Structure formats: structure tokens, C-alpha cells
Amino acid sequence: MIIRIQFWSYFKDLTGCAEATEELPLGATIDQLLQRLHVRFPKLVAMKNSTLIAVGVEYQNRSHVLREGDTVSLFPPVQGG
Amino acid sequence: MRRELTLSTAPIHEATLVAARKMSAGMGAAVYFTGVVRGTEESQTIAAIDYETFREMAEHQFHKLFDEMERRWPTIESARLVHRLGVVRVNEPSLWLEIIAPHRPEAFAAAQWLIDEMKRTVPIWKRPQP
């Protein structure tokens, strides 16, 4: 299945792009996606403990099972105000 | 609860927003908070902050917070929140909030809670500009 990934804030600087796609097996979790992304974008590894993850517009944890067509957003801690 | 959310690059005009206040006869408290860009960020002097958002998610998360606020303080009549995006210079407001309630305890408590939760869950980020 194809998963679209969006990077926000300085994660765009760390990856050099705002968007990417990954092909993953059916039933793959966010954790499996992150493992792929950490190989592809090694600068994200240093941020792995503070990375926030959303699928669509909802936060999800690393065990969340992805579905075909999902858009996953990765970003650093939020700082509004 | 009436709610109004604005995420915009337009400057925040506090007087205009206050002049547009609507409160029914049963309401006795209007609490306001204005967040203003400070001239230092992590001990460095800055000229401005550039705010970025993931708009669809930010709007969704704000409305979830409004839902929860209504559940916690059911007497609140309205919440209006404006968050500025893009470059906001030092001394300019980046955040404006109004809570209308019958009495001040719930108005102050809800305002404090909403801002704390916003800083935890709403996807807005800042980039200090030298």
C-alpha cells in the first residue's frame, strides 16, 4: 500500500522535503513506517523520541495500523501562542 | 457554546475584536488574554517570530478543545480565539482569546486551560527571526 508522508516545521529542513511516499505491506504500523523513514532520512533519528505523529488530523501512537491512502504527518513538539 | 476560531496572517486588532463582543444578560464575566511576541527567544534577541501551521489539523484540534471546554465548563457562553500566522514582529500580538461566562472563576479557569492545551496539542510552530 502507498502511504503519503508530510513533514512540518523544521522536519522539512531535516528531510529536505515537505512530502514523501512509502510503499508498505498491508497491515504495516506507524512504527514500521518510521523505521523506513529513519533509513531514508537519517537526520530524523535524533528527533525520534520527541516526534509527534498524526494520521489525517488525529494524533496516533506508533502501534497504529496504517491503511491504503493514509496521510501521515510527522512534526516536532508544537509551540503555539 | 458559541465559538469563533480565526487562524490568519492578518494583524490582530484588539479594539475591533473587543468592540464585537456579544454577551447575553446572564453573563457577568469577559476574560481576555493577549499573547505578544517577546524580544528574546532562548536568550537570543529576535525581531519577529514566523508562525507555521498544519491548518486542517489545527482547526480540528482547536474544535476538540472547544468541545472539551464546553464539557468541563457548561455555563460558558462563548469562546473566541485568534492565532496569527506568518511573520509577527516583536511587541505585536500573536494570540487573542475571549471567554464569556456567568462568573469569573470559570472564565479564568477555561482561558488558562485552553491556552495550556493549545500549546500541547495544536500543530502550530514558531521560527524566531533575527
Side-chain angles (χ1 to χ4, degrees):
Chain A
M1 62 181 175
I2 303 292
I3 301 296
R4 179 172 165 241
I5 305 108
Q6 298 183 129
F7 302 108
W8 296 92
S9 184
Y10 60 83
F11 278 24
K12 286 183 281 195
D13 304 329
L14 296 178
T15 60
C17 60
E19 287 190 22
T21 57
E22 279 288 337
E23 186 164 2
L24 292 166
L26 283 175
T29 62
I30 286 175
D31 198 46
Q32 288 170 275
L33 173 65
L34 289 176
Q35 287 172 27
R36 287 272 192 96
L37 293 174
H38 288 161
V39 173
R40 186 169 163 190
F41 304 107
K43 288 181 181 172
L44 288 179
V45 175
M47 300 301 303
K48 68 179 179 182
N49 291 333
S50 59
T51 296
L52 297 177
I53 306 151
V55 177
V57 293
E58 293 286 4
Y59 287 101
Q60 298 293 350
N61 61 38
R62 285 163 165 75
S63 61
H64 178 82
V65 176
L66 295 166
R67 289 194 235 167
E68 174 74 44
D70 276 346
T71 298
V72 177
S73 292
L74 302 184
F75 46 85
V78 302
Q79 305 168 294
Chain B
M1 185 184 83
R2 197 167 59 239
R3 51 180 81 178
E4 204 176 292
L5 172 67
T6 307
L7 305 176
S8 171
T9 55
I12 293 173
H13 291 294
E14 295 169 76
T16 305
L17 288 160
V18 172
R21 180 175 68 211
K22 291 177 189 155
M23 54 196 293
S24 66
M27 297 297 116
V31 163
Y32 293 94
F33 174 79
T34 304
V36 177
V37 173
R38 268 189 299 274
T40 54
E41 186 77 13
E42 292 178 354
S43 307
Q44 300 291 311
T45 300
I46 62 166
I49 288 178
D50 188 2
Y51 287 92
E52 176 191 355
T53 190
F54 172 7
R55 180 181 286 275
E56 296 82 3
M57 184 172 174
E59 289 174 349
H60 176 73
Q61 295 294 328
F62 264 127
H63 283 290
K64 282 178 73 171
L65 294 179
F66 289 146
D67 289 344
E68 175 64 15
M69 193 169 80
E70 190 168 16
R71 196 187 65 74
R72 289 175 179 232
W73 295 281
T75 59
I76 289 175
E77 182 173 70
S78 86
R80 284 194 291 161
L81 187 147
V82 182
H83 201 302
R84 185 120 177 246
L85 302 173
V87 175
V88 184
R89 301 194 63 77
V90 167
N91 283 331
E92 288 184 10
S94 56
L95 173 67
W96 183 89
L97 174 65
E98 175 199 73
I99 303 289
I100 305 282
H103 305 285
R104 67 187 146 78
E106 63 267 37
F108 276 118
Q112 180 78 55
W113 177 86
L114 182 61
I115 296 165
D116 286 347
E117 289 300 301
M118 175 199 77
K119 287 176 173 287
R120 202 175 61 79
T121 65
V122 175
I124 296 174
W125 304 274
K126 51 189 186 183
R127 260 178 218 258
Q129 308 286 300

